[in-house]
Amino acid sequence: MTRCSYQYDDYDFRPCAVPGWRVAYLDPKAPDLHHVWDMAGWLVQVEHRYAEPSGLDRDDRPLDQRPRQVVPAHMDGTGDLSDATESVNFWCVLGPTDPAPTREQAAAEHTSRLLRDQLGAVTIS
């Protein structure tokens, strides 16, 4: 029996229909700082099943019948798109009418992540 792994790959891109969508990232060097960038749009991703260890696509379902997910898209300086949520510093998506987060909110999120990471490191024996 062949072991398979699943991942979502970019399938389509949809620009934001309404301007003002933004993505917030925490600043890894300062716990109370964050950065807000305009969001390029939405990436539509489709699930693929890959055989291990060859990495060959073993999914026989047509693309239009596979599970999909929609994620916020980040555009780098060269115009390449990527899933914004894959950054360890990703915080949240802000809609056109959402206010930018405050320093206090950034500090609280940073503390929450530190506690989560500490709890994740605890082993039960």
Side-chain angles (χ1 to χ4, degrees), residues 35-120:
H35 306 279
V36 177
W37 302 97
D38 288 336
M39 194 171 85
W42 303 96
L43 283 174
V44 179
Q45 298 179 329
V46 65
E47 182 185 81
H48 288 274
R49 181 173 45 222
Y50 293 97
E52 293 180 1
S54 69
L56 297 174
D57 187 349
R58 293 293 185 206
D59 210 324
D60 56 357
R61 297 172 293 177
L63 284 175
D64 63 349
Q65 294 179 13
R66 297 181 190 186
R68 294 173 187 234
Q69 65 182 15
V70 178
V71 296
H74 168 79
M75 184 182 294
D76 67 16
T78 65
D80 287 334
L81 296 168
S82 62
D83 178 350
T85 67
E86 289 182 352
S87 167
V88 296
N89 299 319
F90 171 78
W91 181 8
C92 63
V93 172
L94 301 166
T97 61
D98 293 333
T102 65
R103 291 176 75 107
E104 293 79 14
Q105 289 170 319
E109 178 66 17
H110 181 78
T111 300
S112 173
R113 290 182 183 201
L114 285 175
L115 290 172
R116 181 190 66 212
D117 292 345
Q118 290 171 356
L119 288 174

